[in-house]
Amino acid sequence: MKRISRLSCLFFLFGLLVACEEDINPDYAKDVADPEYYHRSVKQLTDVIVHDIFSPPVASRIYSYSSIAGYEAMAAGDPNLVSLSGQISHLSPAPAPPPNVEIAYPLAAVVAQFKVGKSMVFSEDKMDAYRDQLYAEYREIRMPEEVFEASVAYGEAVADHVIKWYDGDMYKQTRTFPKYSITDDESKWQPTPPDYMDGIEPSWMKIRPFTLDSASQFSPPPPTEYSLEPDSKWMREVNEVYTALTGVDEKTSAERQAIAQFWDCNPYVSHTVGHLMFATKKITPGGHWINIASIAAKKADADFARTVETYAATSIAMFDGFISCWEEKYRSKLVRPETFINRHIDQEWRPLLQTPPFPEHTSGHSVVSRACAMVLTDLYGDNFAFDDDSEMEYDLPTRSFPSFLAASEEAAISRLYGGIHYRPSIDYGIAQGEKVGKHVLESLRTRAMITEERPR
């Protein structure tokens, strides 16, 4: 009887072992490397950024640090990716993975990206709810529990490293700096209707950049000299804005309106209907380009490593672009078309788009769109055609572009059609953004960027 009992126990234990082995998905490493997990996590962050109403510069900060965290976690386990530590001079190496422990690096990358993003937004509950759902989906892949736990722990360690790093970028200090001071100089920016908000982020040029030597490294030419003379260059540029939708035929006007509305990307638009006041929320300009990065990666069937690389490179260009642009905005402090036209040409005129609450020169859309387009062109090619559906959830139709650069040019000119920028702000902004984008490509090496020789 004892012999039979011992044999029964052995068979029982063997059965448990086999059952456990069968419960492990032999393809879990492949399944966890599906880039759709990363795309969805970035989209969740975008949705929370929209909900929390972050300004365009602040949103770029959230995108960039979270994307770098995901990239660094993935780079730790992928020999084809080059860490950004040292390349970004103030970024030290991320913690090394623990020895002799299996880690699913794509999972660690999602965890790192998500934790950093959550640390920078207000609606942590929305992030937590999505994280719990995401972890439940990962467990359905049926990877070994020890691999899941080790991967999450490593992703969190990288996130903590990045959180400590971003804490030194001057963001907290600039929260206490003085607001923009309004002057009596009519050539200088003043708050605009309907909310007459204070100038947003007047000290953003003090934020630590990733690749720029300083915020003024690529300062554009100054705006056209302010003048009330009817035949002056300034007045010609003002009139171009004033007649952008009325001085052309009906078909051209309709197309210009469609372009302006597609690229509006205003995170907070106020509406007044009688005594009722409400606001609508949209993605920021950076959020629009993050979505274009997603579109490109998906169309190219990019693997997980290329996907995290795409988001990191795009967001770095975006972040440095905003710093460069904002330095000029609060240096020149140029008056917006709405203010000038209401004072000197037509008191009843209103631009198609609501004027953003910060100075005019240069155009943020022009700078940031071009910087992002330069990086995406480097990653996916000069003639990468794509359909941009970024605005469909805001009830605007898809627009198609033959290249990233073409999209950036339309984004730039949209600001003139919308009545919120003069021509020089757009043209100089494109050139400024191109310089920023080229500098990012020359300064950093990721897997795709090291395939071509560029001057250091």
Side-chain angles (χ1 to χ4, degrees):
M1 291 293 294
K2 290 183 178 179
R3 177 179 176 81
I4 294 174
S5 177
R6 288 173 181 169
L7 284 173
S8 298
C9 289
L10 287 173
F11 279 123
F12 177 72
L13 291 172
F14 178 75
L16 283 177
L17 179 62
V18 171
C20 291
E21 288 178 348
E22 288 179 348
D23 193 49
I24 300 300
N25 174 12
D27 293 325
Y28 75 84
K30 178 182 177 182
D31 292 344
V32 81
D34 184 349
E36 188 60 25
Y37 287 112
Y38 202 84
H39 289 304
R40 287 170 52 203
S41 292
V42 174
K43 180 59 169 66
Q44 173 65 16
L45 183 59
T46 290
D47 290 346
V48 171
I49 288 172
V50 171
H51 178 272
D52 289 351
I53 318 177
F54 288 104
S55 69
V58 176
S60 77
R61 180 174 179 264
I62 299 171
Y63 283 124
S64 58
Y65 281 108
S66 60
S67 295
I68 290 172
Y71 177 91
E72 288 297 298
M74 188 65 192
D78 190 326
N80 293 315
L81 291 180
V82 181
S83 172
L84 298 174
S85 65
Q87 299 191 76
I88 298 176
S89 62
H90 41 82
L91 172 60
S92 60
N100 305 317
V101 175
E102 182 180 353
I103 292 175
Y105 288 96
L107 171 54
V110 170
V111 170
Q113 179 272 340
F114 201 79
K115 183 173 183 180
V116 171
K118 175 189 168 183
S119 74
M120 304 177 83
V121 299
F122 302 136
S123 298
E124 294 185 359
D125 57 330
K126 293 182 180 295
M127 299 293 282
D128 284 340
Y130 181 77
R131 179 202 59 202
D132 294 344
Q133 171 194 333
L134 191 65
Y135 283 10
E137 291 181 27
Y138 273 120
R139 290 186 182 282
E140 290 178 2
I141 293 175
R142 306 196 326 275
M143 71 179 76
E145 182 65 19
E146 63 270 19
V147 174
F148 178 86
E149 296 294 343
S151 303
V152 170
Y154 182 64
E156 290 184 343
V158 174
D160 291 340
H161 177 74
V162 171
I163 291 169
K164 183 178 179 181
W165 170 47
Y166 77 56
D167 199 44
D169 71 352
M170 287 293 291
Y171 178 76
K172 287 183 178 178
Q173 291 87 336
T174 59
R175 301 308 88 191
T176 65
F177 287 1
K179 296 180 179 179
Y180 172 82
S181 297
I182 300 172
T183 71
D184 293 331
D185 185 343
E186 285 198 352
S187 72
K188 302 304 180 185
W189 181 82
Q190 292 196 5
T192 50
D195 296 326
Y196 298 93
M197 293 174 62
D198 289 329
I200 286 178
E201 301 297 342
S203 300
W204 198 255
M205 73 293 293
K206 298 182 185 297
I207 299 293
R208 180 185 63 194
F210 291 129
T211 69
L212 302 179
D213 295 336
S214 68
S216 61
Q217 183 175 355
F218 297 114
S219 291
T224 300
E225 184 179 358
Y226 182 90
S227 173
L228 295 179
E229 293 298 320
D231 295 329
S232 65
K233 187 173 185 291
W234 169 264
M235 288 299 293
R236 290 197 298 272
E237 291 166 0
V238 170
N239 280 311
E240 183 181 21
V241 179
Y242 182 56
T243 61
L245 301 180
T246 59
V248 292
D249 61 77
E250 186 175 340
K251 181 178 179 181
T252 301
S253 179
E255 174 64 4
R256 289 183 173 185
Q257 289 180 58
I259 290 171
Q261 289 165 342
F262 183 79
W263 293 101
D264 185 12
C265 302
N266 189 336
Y268 184 88
V269 179
S270 297
H271 304 273
T272 303
V273 180
H275 296 291
L276 177 65
M277 295 185 66
F278 64 97
T280 54
K281 304 176 184 179
K282 283 188 175 185
I283 53 174
T284 63
H288 194 137
W289 279 94
I290 284 294
N291 199 61
I292 290 175
S294 173
I295 291 168
K298 291 177 182 178
K299 181 179 178 181
D301 197 22
D303 63 11
F304 199 98
R306 176 59 63 91
T307 297
V308 299
E309 175 188 37
T310 299
Y311 283 118
T314 302
S315 62
I316 288 170
M318 176 202 313
F319 182 80
D320 278 2
F322 271 114
I323 290 176
S324 179
C325 180
W326 249 244
E327 192 275 338
E328 176 57 30
K329 280 187 178 295
Y330 284 97
R331 186 195 66 80
S332 54
K333 303 175 184 176
L334 187 62
V335 65
R336 287 279 185 169
E338 182 171 15
T339 304
F340 184 87
I341 291 171
N342 288 166
R343 282 175 178 167
H344 301 290
I345 299 177
D346 183 349
Q347 189 174 357
E348 302 301 320
W349 183 84
R350 292 292 179 269
L352 176 66
L353 304 181
Q354 195 166 111
T355 302
F358 36 81
E360 192 273 345
H361 191 81
T362 48
S363 156
H365 268 57
S366 303
V367 177
V368 170
S369 294
R370 194 60 161 204
C372 291
M374 293 295 292
V375 168
L376 287 169
T377 298
D378 185 82
L379 288 168
Y380 294 102
D382 291 325
N383 299 306
F384 189 95
F386 65 98
D387 297 326
D388 185 359
D389 62 358
S390 302
E391 301 292 330
M392 283 192 67
E393 60 185 294
Y394 306 107
D395 300 322
L396 293 171
T398 296
R399 293 186 68 83
S400 299
F401 301 99
S403 67
F404 302 113
L405 295 179
S408 74
E409 288 164 4
E410 184 177 280
I413 197 63
S414 75
R415 312 313 272 171
L416 187 146
Y417 299 157
I420 58 178
H421 277 294
Y422 314 108
R423 175 76 66 170
S425 173
I426 293 163
D427 293 344
Y428 298 164
I430 290 173
Q432 184 180 3
E434 186 154 327
K435 290 176 181 177
V436 171
K438 284 183 178 178
H439 183 71
V440 169
L441 294 172
E442 291 168 357
S443 301
L444 302 181
R445 296 292 189 270
T446 62
R447 180 183 59 175
M449 295 176 186
I450 61 174
T451 59
E452 299 178 9
E453 291 187 4
R454 294 189 185 86
R456 292 292 297 200

